[in-house]
Amino acid sequence: MSAVRVLVGTKKGAFILTSDAKRQKWDVAGPHFAGWEIYHLKGSAADPDRIYCSQSSGWFGQIIQRSSDGGKTWEQPGGGMQKGPGGMPMGESNKFVYNTSPTGHPLTTHQWYDGTAHPWEFKRVWHLEPSLHDANTAYAGVEDAALFRTADGGTTWHELSGLRGHGTGASWQPGAGGLGLHTILLDPTNPDRMYIAISAAGAFRTDDGGKTWKPINKGLRSEFMPNPTAEVGHCVHRLAIHPSRPDTVYMQKHWDVMRTDNAGDQWREVSGNLPTDFGFCIDVHAHEPETVYVVPIKSDSEHYPLEGKLRVYRSKTGGDEWEPLTKGLPQENCYVNVYRDAMCVDTLDDCGIYFGTTGGQVYTSTNGGDSWNPIVRDLPAVLSVEVQTLK
């Protein structure tokens, strides 16, 4: 019988939620890595028992954890936990080393908030994306924005430096939350194609396995920029695709919900009748490529739902026409946020949709969003939610 495993990263540890295909009763395990920020954890499509986890701390740095038994036990690839002075854990920031001359020319700085040159500094891993075909291969999107790859299960990481070195890297500036590469989408029909998104540089695509990259931001407009339609500098919050139509990409931008049908060569706005088109997360129904979900947030300064009502919005037309989904969600005095990596879908016949909030709730719907139920209510603030469909 099929089952699901929901991987939840929070401000104070990782939690693993499991259920059968009915998704009515849940077992909750955790916290793993209690007290640490878990920006993201995700399982391998090639081997569901292989899970990669980004364990981060402002005090102790970055650690990559790996499980080979579905999250029951964990190991630090390449050896045990290193200890620093006083026996405290040491991060592994040195495992993510920037190439300072990615194209044969020096690239040592990007722009800071005030436009001055600022050195590239590794801070943390925002997103981990396992290969679709090899459990030992995975990609890491990091802050300051760069893309790294491992081919040995996370023991070593090497930068795909063509991204930063393609020509615009020196002009990238951080968004409010930092200069983070937060989205990595692998094209299931073309192993050489990949989409990534960076706050606040924009969206980029490679068609040759990461050797070369191009900005794909034509059609985006960002009023906060000196040139609102510039090639780079847009604060893209999240991208999503359906596996059957990888040329169609949906985007939640700082403001605006966007869509492209030609792999990013041209975007158009599909915000339609949304009450506000600011938000962070976006995802696509597993079996309906034109059914899209977002969670509108009031504004870029007030990160909570409009009128204190938590509402998921669904479009069954690929955008433009949206309907609020409220059954089972709090409709008064709710002032939580839903982060960019905190929504996902399973692939069961009755597609499940999941999202987590900064209030520590994780909600699920087993009927396309028509109604919602909380799996858990009182976790630490949720940073990411991923789901594995287990056969």
Side-chain angles (χ1 to χ4, degrees), residues 64-281:
I64 295 295
Q65 296 281 356
R66 181 183 72 196
S67 176
S68 297
D69 57 11
K72 296 182 179 69
T73 61
W74 297 87
E75 61 182 336
Q76 188 177 338
M81 180 80 74
Q82 302 297 311
K83 301 291 184 179
M88 300 305 291
M90 290 175 58
E92 297 181 313
S93 299
N94 62 313
K95 288 199 171 184
F96 295 88
V97 179
Y98 293 93
N99 183 344
T100 57
S101 299
T103 59
H105 303 285
L107 180 58
T108 57
T109 63
H110 60 82
Q111 286 193 42
W112 196 233
Y113 293 99
D114 59 4
T116 60
H118 190 80
W120 293 89
E121 299 172 330
F122 174 79
K123 297 178 179 66
R124 60 184 61 84
V125 173
W126 279 38
H127 184 93
L128 290 162
E129 191 67 28
S131 161
L132 299 176
H133 308 292
D134 176 16
N136 285 320
T137 297
Y139 300 88
V142 309
E143 179 189 357
D144 286 338
L147 181 65
F148 286 80
R149 180 179 183 269
T150 181
D152 55 16
T155 301
T156 60
W157 296 85
H158 303 283
E159 186 187 2
L160 297 179
S161 55
L163 174 60
R164 287 191 309 121
H166 80 271
T168 68
S171 67
W172 297 353
Q173 287 182 286
L179 183 61
L181 195 163
H182 52 69
T183 300
I184 304 169
L185 299 179
L186 306 178
D187 184 337
T189 68
N190 180 355
D192 288 329
R193 173 170 286 182
M194 188 186 321
Y195 304 95
I196 65 96
I198 296 169
S199 257
F204 301 81
R205 189 186 80 217
T206 179
D207 295 308
D208 58 11
K211 296 174 185 175
T212 61
W213 295 79
K214 61 181 268 186
I216 51 168
N217 301 300
K218 188 177 180 181
L220 304 188
R221 185 176 182 87
S222 300
E223 298 297 340
F224 63 85
M225 294 166 52
N227 176 2
T229 59
E231 182 180 42
V232 298
H234 302 275
C235 193
V236 176
H237 283 180
R238 182 69 174 161
L239 304 176
I241 61 173
H242 189 277
S244 70
R245 291 168 57 182
D247 283 353
T248 295
V249 187
Y250 297 96
M251 173 190 293
Q252 173 67 68
K253 197 163 69 68
H254 190 84
W255 292 98
D256 305 329
V257 178
M258 309 293 292
R259 170 183 177 148
T260 176
D261 292 299
N262 53 16
D265 289 341
Q266 180 70 46
W267 296 85
R268 63 182 176 91
E269 185 177 353
V270 294
S271 304
N273 62 326
L274 287 171
T276 166
D277 55 14
F278 185 89
F280 290 95
C281 63

Side-chain angles (χ1 to χ4, degrees), residues 168-391:
T168 68
S171 67
W172 297 353
Q173 287 182 286
L179 183 61
L181 195 163
H182 52 69
T183 300
I184 304 169
L185 299 179
L186 306 178
D187 184 337
T189 68
N190 180 355
D192 288 329
R193 173 170 286 182
M194 188 186 321
Y195 304 95
I196 65 96
I198 296 169
S199 257
F204 301 81
R205 189 186 80 217
T206 179
D207 295 308
D208 58 11
K211 296 174 185 175
T212 61
W213 295 79
K214 61 181 268 186
I216 51 168
N217 301 300
K218 188 177 180 181
L220 304 188
R221 185 176 182 87
S222 300
E223 298 297 340
F224 63 85
M225 294 166 52
N227 176 2
T229 59
E231 182 180 42
V232 298
H234 302 275
C235 193
V236 176
H237 283 180
R238 182 69 174 161
L239 304 176
I241 61 173
H242 189 277
S244 70
R245 291 168 57 182
D247 283 353
T248 295
V249 187
Y250 297 96
M251 173 190 293
Q252 173 67 68
K253 197 163 69 68
H254 190 84
W255 292 98
D256 305 329
V257 178
M258 309 293 292
R259 170 183 177 148
T260 176
D261 292 299
N262 53 16
D265 289 341
Q266 180 70 46
W267 296 85
R268 63 182 176 91
E269 185 177 353
V270 294
S271 304
N273 62 326
L274 287 171
T276 166
D277 55 14
F278 185 89
F280 290 95
C281 63
I282 189 166
D283 218 330
V284 185
H285 192 286
H287 312 304
E288 301 171 12
E290 292 286 296
T291 298
V292 188
Y293 301 87
V294 296
V295 180
I297 298 299
K298 184 176 181 181
S299 73
D300 52 3
S301 61
E302 297 171 274
H303 287 180
Y304 49 77
L306 217 62
E307 303 173 338
K309 299 177 180 181
L310 181 56
R311 292 173 286 187
V312 177
Y313 274 72
R314 176 178 64 197
S315 173
K316 292 188 174 183
T317 58
D320 292 322
E321 300 173 4
W322 299 86
E323 58 180 324
L325 309 173
T326 62
K327 187 176 180 180
L329 300 178
Q331 295 304 293
E332 60 181 2
N333 303 319
C334 183
Y335 295 94
V336 299
N337 195 2
V338 181
Y339 288 144
R340 68 188 87 233
D341 246 339
M343 176 178 272
C344 61
V345 299
D346 67 34
T347 59
L348 291 173
D349 290 342
D350 293 322
C351 172
I353 302 100
Y354 307 80
F355 71 94
T357 78
T358 54
Q361 300 84 29
V362 178
Y363 292 97
T364 183
S365 172
T366 60
N367 52 20
D370 290 339
S371 62
W372 300 87
N373 290 292
I375 301 175
V376 286
R377 289 186 179 274
D378 300 306
L379 299 184
V382 174
L383 301 178
S384 67
V385 180
E386 296 285 358
V387 62
Q388 296 177 280
T389 306
L390 308 174
K391 303 299 183 181

